Amino acid sequence: MELQEFLARMDAGETVTAWSETHLCMHGLSQEAMRLTAEINGPYHTPEELHDLMEQLTGRTIPAAFGLFPPFYTDCGKNIKLGEDVFINSGCHFQDQGGITIGDHSLIGHNCVLATLNHDQDPMKRADLHPAPIVIGNRVWLGANVTVLPGVTIGDGAIVAAGAVVSKDVPPNTVVGGTPARVLKTLEY
């Protein structure tokens, strides 16, 4: 299966049946992602070298102002889209098969987990996967140890407090926190 066909299926939210052609393609992409993240997380790299490695990992042009503090983990890499001046702090885990989009000037705190896949609830189909995208708007700040679940959109200007588990959409210009995350206040500018 070609990469563009795989991404189209993921972006359409098609169920990935265990051991199907799509599932096997996913495993192949995971092997490449493990190789590239091992390089990212291995010896010291300059910011320019990390930028180039992330372009290889994502297969996309990454804006020059991108920042990353390794280690960084992903099990695909090819469905990550980054805006201008995005910063990803150390220890983050991106499960991006379902698609992760991060808007301009957004900050991703230490040890954040962005998960875009769910397993089937039916125990006889438990190995099947259901992709759903995560969309993070512009000027969003995810605090340390935030988990964002499949299908969530975080609105522009929002802040997600450290340790929150985000299971539903976050309105723009709000602060959310807790497990599950709930609106704590609206930001006034």
Side-chain angles (χ1 to χ4, degrees):
M1 172 178 292
E2 296 294 322
L3 175 61
Q4 292 312 314
E5 181 182 357
F6 170 78
L7 292 175
R9 288 182 182 189
M10 295 297 100
D11 291 346
E14 292 182 17
T15 296
V16 178
T17 304
W19 306 113
S20 65
E21 180 184 18
T22 305
H23 195 230
L24 295 174
C25 180
M26 185 182 293
H27 276 283
L29 292 170
S30 293
Q31 295 304 307
E32 180 182 356
M34 285 190 283
R35 180 183 62 77
L36 286 165
T37 55
E39 177 64 24
I40 289 168
N41 299 334
Y44 170 79
H45 295 287
T46 66
E48 295 79 19
E49 290 169 335
L50 287 172
H51 176 274
D52 292 347
L53 286 165
M54 283 298 288
E55 283 192 338
Q56 290 176 50
L57 179 64
T58 63
R60 301 174 191 275
T61 300
I62 305 278
F66 169 75
L68 171 69
F69 285 178
F72 174 77
Y73 305 95
T74 185
D75 52 4
C76 183
K78 300 301 185 210
N79 214 359
I80 298 171
K81 301 169 195 90
L82 302 172
E84 295 285 337
D85 196 27
V86 168
F87 176 70
I88 300 170
N89 219 322
S90 63
C92 290
H93 296 254
F94 285 18
Q95 181 193 53
D96 66 285
Q97 289 90 338
I100 294 173
T101 301
I102 301 176
D104 298 342
H105 312 289
S106 289
L107 308 171
I108 311 301
H110 291 89
N111 302 314
C112 286
V113 174
L114 307 182
T116 66
L117 294 175
N118 272 323
H119 287 277
D120 203 279
Q121 292 182 6
D122 180 344
M124 301 309 292
K125 298 179 182 178
R126 188 63 40 87
D128 291 356
L129 299 164
H130 303 283
I134 291 172
V135 178
I136 297 173
N138 298 320
R139 298 188 185 279
V140 169
W141 173 24
L142 302 185
N145 298 302
V146 164
T147 299
V148 181
L149 299 180
V152 168
T153 295
I154 299 176
D156 292 347
I159 298 171
V160 181
V165 176
V166 186
S167 59
K168 59 185 176 182
D169 291 353
V170 174
N173 300 313
T174 57
V175 177
V176 300
T179 304
R182 60 180 170 64
V183 174
L184 301 175
K185 72 178 186 176
T186 299
L187 299 169
E188 303 289 334
Y189 301 108

